[in-house]
Every structure is written in C-alpha cells, then in structure tokens.
Amino acid sequence: MKKIFLSMLLLVLGLNYTSFANTPSYNDVEGYYETVSLSEVMDILNKNKGTLLDVRNNDEVEKTGLVKGTKHIPLPDLEKRLSELNKDETYITFCVSGNRSKKAAEILKKNGFKNIYNSKEGMSTWPYKDMVEPVKK
C-alpha cells in the first residue's frame, strides 16, 4: 500500500513538474505577459504585430538613439502617460538590459493592457544598428 501511495505521489509530482517545465516564460501580474528574446522582438516587429515601448531615460536615448517606430516613455513617467497608449494594441517593453522593461510590463498589465511582451534583453545588446536613429536634443 505504501509503495502504491508513493508511486502515485511521484507520478502526480512528475506531471506537475512537466506541466510547469513546458510553460513559456510568463510572469504573473494580474494576467500574463511573455518575456521574449531580441530575435522574437524582431519577429513581432517585422510582422507589424506590436510597437516597441522604450522606457529608458531621456539621456540614455540621446546617447544611443531610438529604434525606428518606437514609442518612448521613460519608466518614471509611464503611469501618468498611459493615456498615450491604446490598451488593445500590442506593446513590447524595452530598456537597456531588461530590468526596467519588466517593471513597465507589470505596470501595463496592472492597468488593463492585454497584449504585452517584455524584451529580456535591451539596447545594450541590440544587434540591429541599422534600425537605430539618433535623437535630436
């Protein structure tokens, strides 16, 4: 009886582990957003299925430029500028390294945005330099 119980317990734990192991990299914040690589970001942009939302500070954008077609709202200003965004559109949050973009994705989800991706990498590793435009001061 103990062997049967132990076998069933291991089976249940194994099934639960398998279901979590196959789950995409989602983070739960009153819904979901998906964390994606830069190549996945490019796929979304190339298919015109989303807008890059750059949450870097102004001085960072002035130094390195802005990816063409990007909506720029610094993270500290995001909550008070949400009215500039459409809750039904898809946004890919983006920063220098992926830390602030995660916070931005959480803010969007908390405020009812439904289609959110978070770039796990940012401008520090952005390989598509031909897409970057200088920003006028």
Side-chain angles (χ1 to χ4, degrees), residues 68-81:
K68 294 175 188 171
T70 297
K71 176 73 174 172
H72 174 239
I73 302 177
L75 182 62
D77 301 336
L78 184 58
E79 287 196 86
K80 60 186 167 209
R81 293 180 58 188

Side-chain angles (χ1 to χ4, degrees), residues 104-115:
E106 292 170 358
I107 289 169
L108 294 177
K109 275 302 176 188
K110 181 179 77 173
N111 285 280
F113 288 77
K114 296 173 179 54
N115 304 309

Side-chain angles (χ1 to χ4, degrees), residues 90-126:
T90 298
Y91 293 98
I92 308 156
T93 57
F94 182 79
C95 64
V96 172
S97 65
N99 292 324
R100 284 176 286 177
S101 63
K102 181 179 177 184
K103 290 177 185 166
E106 292 170 358
I107 289 169
L108 294 177
K109 275 302 176 188
K110 181 179 77 173
N111 285 280
F113 288 77
K114 296 173 179 54
N115 304 309
I116 306 300
Y117 293 92
N118 169 50
S119 178
K120 68 179 166 183
E121 300 134 324
M123 192 56 125
S124 64
T125 57
W126 184 257

Side-chain angles (χ1 to χ4, degrees), residues 8-20:
M8 294 299 286
L9 180 62
L10 290 173
L11 178 65
V12 168
L13 290 174
L15 290 175
N16 282 338
Y17 173 76
T18 302
S19 66
F20 285 118

Side-chain angles (χ1 to χ4, degrees), residues 4-134:
I4 293 173
F5 176 74
L6 184 56
S7 296
M8 294 299 286
L9 180 62
L10 290 173
L11 178 65
V12 168
L13 290 174
L15 290 175
N16 282 338
Y17 173 76
T18 302
S19 66
F20 285 118
N22 293 328
T23 302
S25 59
Y26 289 91
N27 301 294
D28 190 8
V29 183
E30 294 186 17
Y32 294 101
Y33 62 86
E34 184 175 353
T35 298
V36 294
S37 68
L38 288 178
S39 63
E40 291 171 301
V41 168
M42 282 306 299
D43 288 343
I44 295 165
L45 294 176
N46 286 334
K47 294 175 184 172
N48 291 323
K49 299 224 176 193
T51 300
L52 203 58
L53 176 62
D54 191 333
V55 296
R56 294 179 295 150
N57 295 328
N58 291 330
D59 61 326
E60 293 171 307
V61 169
E62 288 172 4
K63 285 179 191 172
T64 59
L66 197 62
V67 176
K68 294 175 188 171
T70 297
K71 176 73 174 172
H72 174 239
I73 302 177
L75 182 62
D77 301 336
L78 184 58
E79 287 196 86
K80 60 186 167 209
R81 293 180 58 188
L82 288 174
S83 63
E84 296 176 29
L85 305 174
N86 181 339
K87 288 186 179 187
D88 295 323
E89 285 187 29
T90 298
Y91 293 98
I92 308 156
T93 57
F94 182 79
C95 64
V96 172
S97 65
N99 292 324
R100 284 176 286 177
S101 63
K102 181 179 177 184
K103 290 177 185 166
E106 292 170 358
I107 289 169
L108 294 177
K109 275 302 176 188
K110 181 179 77 173
N111 285 280
F113 288 77
K114 296 173 179 54
N115 304 309
I116 306 300
Y117 293 92
N118 169 50
S119 178
K120 68 179 166 183
E121 300 134 324
M123 192 56 125
S124 64
T125 57
W126 184 257
Y128 314 104
K129 301 300 182 199
D130 59 321
M131 294 181 64
V132 178
E133 299 176 311

